[in-house]
Amino acid sequence: MNNEFQQIKKNDDDQRGQETVHADLTEKDIYYREKILKGSMLRVVLYIGIPLALFQSLNQLFAILDTMMASHISPTSVSAVAYLTQINFLLSAIGGGLATGAGIQISRAYGEGDFMMVKKRISSIYTLCLVIGLLLLVVIFPFAGLFLKLAGTPAELITEGVSYFRIQLIVMVFTFLNNIYIAVERARGYSKRILYLNLSVIVSKLSLTAIFVYVFKCGLEMIAAASLISQLILFAFAIKNSIAGDNAFGFSKKCITVSKDVNLPMIKTSIPIIMEKMLFASGKTVVNSMCNVYGPLMVGAMGVSNNLGGITTNPQNGFQDGTSAIISQNFGAKNYKRVLSAFYSTVLVNVIMSTFICGITVLNLNFFSHLFDGGDPEFQKLIISVYKFEAVGGVPLGVFAAVMAMLYGLGKTRLTMVLNVSRIFVFRIPVFWFLQHFTSYGEKSVGIVMMVSNVSVAVMAIVTALIVIPRYKKQYM
């Protein structure tokens, strides 16, 4: 009897809320939703995935150019940016994880046709991210130097980069909110809008950085200021498109709630992703430190090799992001066969695309490596020695990205955490340690460990899919 009363009360509360708050769809939303739920799946994957793949690729280019401009200030500036970026990434993992987890649950509610739930989740996750971002800012900002010291930052980098780090903390708050906005647009299927908006961010960031560094001869903190201005531009678009009155994807103060039904699925989905991102970032720091035994040139060669590998893997990540939203939405709509169709389509696209892109980089490795060697033949040799092994994992990682998309879309984020953590802490760090202490491969170990970890985690992902898919079919088909 008590349960019946609670359900009636909940329905009454919803009806009262809906008298003043509406969660409607625009004609464009209806068109995209029908397309994602009923259209040719391969076309849907390509339509949603291509702009996101381009976005990821442009991000890679932006990171390379940003580093090149930092090097114009001083060699220490490059090291400071690289080191502090890892610390920022650890902190940003909270917002990034919440955005990914919330996006999955928003897409699911959208597929279910519960548009009021979509609006409540969007409004509540914006609020949660704002509160967490401001708390981190208040706690860390006044003690930035001490925080960096406790994080093990070298003293010379603290002196060089503490102002940069403080500005990046402010950037982080807006990035938290912008990540939610991007996740919401991805849930709607608006991948072209994501591409165009992020292009504006990249162009403004690079332009401002170039002006500050090359024209005004500013220091490192102005690179962070350029990041802040570019994120504010994206935030302005986010506000404009999120305060959309009766739209289901708009923000409404009246829809902010602490209800478990609204928030718990988003938080439970997000926590493993947050842990995954933080552990992955810390693991990469350990690997970089292990490379120091081969000298500073090898650390740089590994970084360049990672950049070259990103030419292949960043587009894969774009399709991963797009497909996870497609799968989540179709799962919510109970289109269970289309979930697997999206997965198989993404495997096909990623394998073909990865083979093509990776093939181009390998066949033209002398050209690509020369872009980064600074005219040093020894450095170019090291880049080639690392990347020729790392490239072996390019195509398998395409399959890995497709499996991750399926797991994210189904909300199985504990499995994605296990896979990504295993990539670093099972297949990379222990293997690297073994190669360094029990083999005579020497510098080749750096490339070999990248190949082993990337191929091994792809095999692990395939085995995971072979377990998950039959269970999925048995439960839902």
Side-chain angles (χ1 to χ4, degrees):
M1 190 73 180
N2 187 45
N3 287 339
E4 288 179 9
F5 173 76
Q6 288 179 347
Q7 185 61 44
I8 292 168
K9 185 178 183 302
K10 179 181 181 300
N11 291 338
D12 287 345
D13 289 343
D14 286 347
Q15 286 173 3
R16 280 197 296 272
Q18 289 173 16
E19 287 173 7
T20 53
V21 179
H22 297 279
D24 303 325
L25 300 182
T26 65
E27 289 185 12
K28 191 174 180 181
D29 286 330
I30 294 169
Y31 169 76
Y32 275 110
R33 187 170 182 270
E34 286 293 304
K35 189 171 188 173
I36 290 171
L37 298 181
K38 297 178 181 178
S40 165
M41 185 50 73
L42 181 57
R43 289 184 179 179
V44 170
V45 166
L46 289 170
Y47 189 83
I48 302 295
I50 287 175
L52 295 175
L54 287 171
F55 158 58
Q56 292 283 357
S57 298
L58 288 168
N59 266 350
Q60 177 75 2
L61 176 62
F62 150 70
I64 293 169
L65 293 174
D66 206 43
T67 303
M68 288 170 61
M69 284 189 270
S71 69
H72 187 76
I73 299 173
S74 71
T76 312
S77 295
V78 179
S79 299
V81 169
Y83 198 98
L84 298 176
T85 296
Q86 288 299 320
I87 297 174
N88 280 323
F89 189 84
L90 284 169
L91 295 172
S92 298
I94 300 170
L98 282 170
T100 304
I104 290 166
Q105 294 300 332
I106 289 166
S107 293
R108 185 169 296 183
Y110 189 39
E112 289 170 353
D114 192 346
F115 305 136
M116 185 56 70
M117 178 62 78
V118 170
K119 197 174 184 77
K120 287 179 180 178
R121 282 182 174 161
I122 289 171
S123 303
S124 300
I125 199 65
Y126 267 128
T127 307
L128 180 61
C129 274
L130 178 60
V131 169
I132 292 173
L134 290 175
L135 280 174
L136 287 173
L137 184 64
V138 168
V139 171
I140 299 174
F141 190 91
F143 313 103
L146 178 61
F147 179 82
L148 292 175
K149 188 177 180 180
L150 292 173
T153 310
E156 63 272 20
L157 297 187
I158 294 177
T159 304
E160 180 84 12
V162 67
S163 297
Y164 170 88
F165 180 69
R166 281 198 172 104
I167 298 171
Q168 285 291 0
L169 286 173
I170 301 171
V171 174
M172 179 188 66
V173 177
F174 291 101
T175 303
F176 276 19
L177 298 172
N178 289 339
N179 282 340
I180 296 296
Y181 171 65
I182 294 298
V184 169
E185 296 291 46
R186 189 163 56 236
R188 299 172 85 173
Y190 286 20
S191 55
K192 285 185 179 179
R193 178 180 285 180
I194 294 172
L195 174 61
Y196 298 148
L197 288 175
N198 279 285
L199 269 175
S200 69
V201 170
I202 290 170
V203 170
S204 60
K205 169 69 171 79
L206 290 178
S207 301
L208 288 168
T209 302
I211 292 169
F212 291 149
V213 171
Y214 297 121
V215 178
F216 295 112
K217 311 295 182 183
C218 296
L220 198 59
E221 64 277 0
M222 293 309 292
I223 292 181
S227 295
L228 177 58
I229 294 168
S230 62
Q231 287 298 321
L232 284 170
I233 291 171
L234 179 56
F235 184 62
F237 279 106
I239 292 174
K240 176 181 176 294
N241 293 328
S242 296
I243 302 177
D246 293 337
N247 187 265
F249 292 94
F251 174 86
S252 171
K253 287 191 290 184
K254 294 178 181 177
C255 287
I256 298 171
T257 176
V258 294
S259 166
K260 289 183 179 179
D261 291 345
V262 174
N263 292 290
L264 196 57
M266 293 192 292
I267 293 170
K268 285 176 68 176
T269 304
S270 298
I271 288 173
I273 301 174
I274 294 169
M275 292 176 64
E276 163 196 324
K277 288 178 180 292
M278 295 183 78
L279 288 169
F280 194 81
S282 61
K284 285 182 73 175
T285 304
V286 173
V287 173
N288 287 339
S289 67
M290 291 174 74
C291 281
N292 282 329
V293 71
Y294 304 113
L297 274 183
M298 179 52 79
V299 177
M302 186 179 183
V304 172
S305 180
N306 290 164
N307 283 333
L308 291 175
I311 297 172
T312 302
T313 58
N314 278 294
Q316 295 170 356
N317 294 336
F319 278 98
Q320 175 184 303
D321 290 343
T323 301
S324 64
I326 294 166
I327 287 174
S328 184
Q329 199 173 134
N330 276 281
F331 183 77
K334 296 182 172 56
N335 291 338
Y336 299 128
K337 287 184 179 179
R338 287 179 64 80
V339 166
L340 294 182
S341 178
F343 166 65
Y344 295 134
S345 296
T346 306
V347 170
L348 178 66
V349 169
N350 271 359
V351 167
I352 293 172
M353 177 184 68
S354 303
T355 302
F356 177 73
I357 297 174
C358 198
I360 289 175
T361 57
V362 170
L363 291 173
N364 297 279
L365 187 51
N366 280 325
F367 168 76
F368 283 109
S369 59
H370 186 59
L371 294 175
F372 298 92
D373 65 12
D376 185 342
E378 184 65 25
F379 189 36
Q380 184 185 30
K381 241 174 111 179
L382 287 175
I383 294 169
I384 292 172
S385 71
V386 176
Y387 185 69
K388 70 181 182 182
F389 286 107
E390 185 171 349
V392 175
V395 177
L397 284 177
V399 181
F400 170 77
V403 175
M404 293 291 281
M406 178 179 68
L407 297 176
Y408 278 131
L410 294 175
K412 296 184 181 295
T413 51
R414 290 183 183 179
L415 285 177
T416 64
M417 181 183 71
V418 170
L419 284 168
N420 261 325
V421 170
S422 297
R423 184 176 177 182
I424 290 286
F425 291 98
V426 176
F427 300 126
R428 193 165 296 179
I429 294 174
V431 172
F432 201 7
W433 181 85
F434 176 83
L435 290 172
Q436 286 182 329
H437 291 84
F438 296 99
T439 74
S440 58
Y441 288 124
E443 292 177 343
K444 288 184 180 178
S445 299
V446 178
I448 291 170
V449 75
M450 295 301 294
M451 175 184 69
V452 170
S453 62
N454 290 342
V455 172
S456 297
V457 79
V459 171
M460 185 179 176
I462 291 168
V463 172
T464 303
L466 291 174
I467 295 170
V468 169
I469 290 173
R471 290 181 179 179
Y472 172 86
K473 286 181 177 178
K474 186 176 180 181
Q475 186 174 357
Y476 297 108
M477 295 170 66

